[in-house]
Amino acid sequence: MNRSYIIPIFLPYLGCRNRCIFCNQKAISREVPSPESVRKIVESSLATFPSKNISIQIAFYGASFTAMPMEDQISYLEIAREFILRDEIESIRISTRPDAIDEEILYLLKGYNVKTVEIGAQSMDDEVLLLSLRGHKKDDTISSIKRLKAFGYEVGVQLMIGLPGDTLERFLKTLDLIIDLRPDFLRIHPTLVLKGSPLEALWIAKKYSPLSLEDSIEWLKEGLLKLENASIPVARIGLQPTRDLEAHLIAGPYHPSIHQLVESSIFFDMAERLITRNFLSSKAVFLCNPKDLSNLKGQKNENIKKMKEKFSLEEIVIQTWDGIKKGSLALKIDSEIILIERKDLSPYSTT
């Protein structure tokens, strides 16, 4: 099976029709590369990849790509297509706004081998979108995703949690609406207060409070289980950690490994249920897939410490076993193995 690689090209603010309340993309990327400099970036990246059995996409991130002037879109797409014609990359990926997709754009992107379009929906609650100064409504997201799927594009959706006016109930309702649209994948990240963003002024005036890291983990955990039950992959949780991002961060639930914290919390919940149902005395022996070992232990062995303290366990033994499915956990009691799966935690599971 071919491995997939992405060459990211960041175009901060290009095509943005308004200033979203959370936005300071200079915290993510400082300079806007010209179309000509994109060629150099791609050539440099290609030199670092293995030469066989790989699939490569050029990805234009950070911009509302299809809201850019048409001539600018074509300038970037022309450069990317050069590498497609030489069979050096497979396709192109872009990110854009929900209200910047029309039939002309759909045909243009097809002509340049754009395969994947990521829609920055952020929320499916119109009040949250209004308070966040997004400039579009949930119906724009519904319309754009349906159009893209009808044209055969791979569709990703970007969501945020903890925006002004957001609640856990609203987030879960957002997920229900997105699940009905059947995108190919999601990205979700908590709202952060960045220096230079309009949200900074609200935070200073104490008119906005970001989610705590603990609450973010709980929201993301519930959302992830809901999406897994619907068989919709989550490509990423949290923003890509960079020095620029950390330099601009003022407040909010930032953690460079927040996805792992969510996974570790899920494994703690599975372990807790196994222990509670089986009334252990002083020792617990768990079996997990080797790839899940760090998630079960938790960062700095936090899950182990919490289990020992909560259940007064003197010893916790973890054995890895390739025979257990990734994402599952088993408790070994004498010769008996008691298994739990992630879906067993989910109130959304239909099995």
Side-chain angles (χ1 to χ4, degrees):
M1 187 169 101
N2 288 0
R3 293 191 64 185
S4 296
Y5 293 86
I6 289 177
I7 300 175
I9 309 293
F10 290 95
L11 308 174
Y13 287 122
L14 294 191
C16 290
R17 294 173 174 174
N18 55 291
R19 183 82 178 276
C20 301
I21 201 166
F22 52 80
C23 192
N24 180 355
Q25 288 190 330
K26 291 179 181 178
I28 301 172
S29 180
R30 290 179 178 175
E31 298 180 0
V32 178
S34 66
E36 284 302 315
S37 66
V38 168
R39 182 184 288 110
K40 295 179 181 178
I41 293 170
V42 175
E43 288 174 343
S44 176
S45 297
L46 287 173
T48 67
F49 293 152
S51 58
K52 294 181 179 180
N53 298 321
I54 62 172
S55 172
I56 303 173
Q57 274 191 324
I58 294 175
F60 292 105
Y61 288 135
S64 294
F65 192 90
T66 60
M68 292 161 47
M70 188 68 75
E71 59 269 25
D72 291 344
Q73 295 181 52
I74 291 172
S75 295
Y76 285 106
L77 292 171
E78 286 281 4
I79 296 295
R81 186 166 64 173
E82 291 178 13
F83 296 93
I84 294 175
L85 295 175
R86 297 201 297 262
D87 290 325
E88 293 178 311
I89 71 160
E90 179 190 23
S91 60
I92 301 168
R93 172 187 299 233
I94 65 161
S95 61
T96 194
R97 294 173 55 87
D99 56 352
I101 296 291
D102 57 29
E103 192 165 290
E104 182 182 12
I105 288 293
L106 292 168
Y107 280 112
L108 174 75
L109 299 180
K110 274 291 181 185
Y112 281 95
N113 295 90
V114 173
K115 176 183 177 182
T116 309
V117 179
E118 297 194 34
I119 295 293
Q122 316 313 352
S123 176
M124 293 293 280
D125 185 284
D126 282 342
E127 183 179 356
V128 172
L129 293 171
L130 180 65
L131 292 171
S132 301
L133 308 180
R134 283 294 294 165
H136 66 81
K137 295 185 175 182
K138 70 179 180 183
D139 286 344
D140 296 309
T141 298
I142 293 170
S143 174
S144 64
I145 293 176
K146 286 182 175 179
R147 283 183 165 189
L148 287 163
K149 290 184 74 68
F151 267 69
Y153 290 96
E154 180 182 55
V155 180
V157 177
Q158 302 164 9
L159 296 177
M160 298 175 67
I161 62 170
L163 288 166
D166 202 10
T167 64
L168 176 58
E169 182 181 4
R170 287 180 169 185
F171 169 56
L172 295 177
K173 186 174 180 181
T174 281
L175 291 183
D176 287 335
L177 293 170
I178 292 296
I179 287 169
D180 287 343
L181 296 167
R182 306 307 303 174
D184 295 283
F185 63 92
L186 266 69
R187 298 178 190 272
I188 310 175
H189 66 84
T191 302
L192 304 176
V193 181
L194 300 178
K195 189 183 302 180
S197 70
L199 198 57
E200 179 188 11
L202 286 182
W203 178 78
I204 290 172
K206 297 185 179 180
K207 294 181 178 180
Y208 170 77
S209 296
L211 293 177
S212 67
L213 182 60
E214 293 75 16
D215 284 343
S216 291
I217 290 169
E218 289 302 311
W219 285 34
L220 290 165
K221 180 169 63 176
E222 190 162 348
L224 186 57
L225 292 172
K226 178 186 277 282
L227 291 164
E228 287 178 358
N229 184 65
S231 299
I232 295 179
V234 177
R236 183 172 187 86
I237 290 177
L239 291 171
Q240 180 72 32
T242 66
R243 290 182 180 178
D244 284 336
L245 173 62
E246 293 177 357
H248 285 79
L249 179 67
I250 293 177
Y254 173 73
H255 192 285
S257 303
I258 191 168
H259 197 159
Q260 188 188 11
L261 295 182
V262 175
E263 291 291 338
S264 293
S265 184
I266 290 173
F267 268 88
F268 180 85
D269 289 350
M270 289 194 292
E272 180 180 46
R273 184 169 295 191
L274 285 171
I275 293 171
T276 301
R277 288 181 174 179
N278 292 282
F279 307 105
L280 302 180
S281 54
S282 61
K283 179 178 178 180
V285 179
F286 291 107
L287 299 174
C288 71
N289 186 282
K291 293 181 179 179
D292 288 326
L293 180 60
S294 61
N295 289 332
L296 176 56
K297 288 183 174 181
Q299 291 193 350
K300 299 180 180 179
N301 288 325
E302 189 63 30
N303 279 355
I304 304 297
K305 296 172 187 174
K306 284 168 59 179
M307 281 187 274
K308 283 185 174 181
E309 181 178 346
K310 183 168 185 176
F311 298 103
S312 301
L313 295 171
E314 296 177 7
E315 185 179 5
I316 293 177
V317 177
I318 299 176
Q319 300 173 354
T320 59
W321 178 35
D322 288 322
I324 189 169
K325 185 173 69 174
K326 188 176 182 297
S328 299
L329 182 65
L331 182 67
K332 188 176 181 181
I333 301 177
D334 298 326
S335 60
E336 184 180 9
I337 294 177
I338 304 164
L339 183 70
I340 189 171
E341 297 182 341
R342 295 160 74 96
K343 66 181 181 181
D344 297 326
L345 297 177
S346 176
Y348 315 106
S349 179
T350 57
T351 58

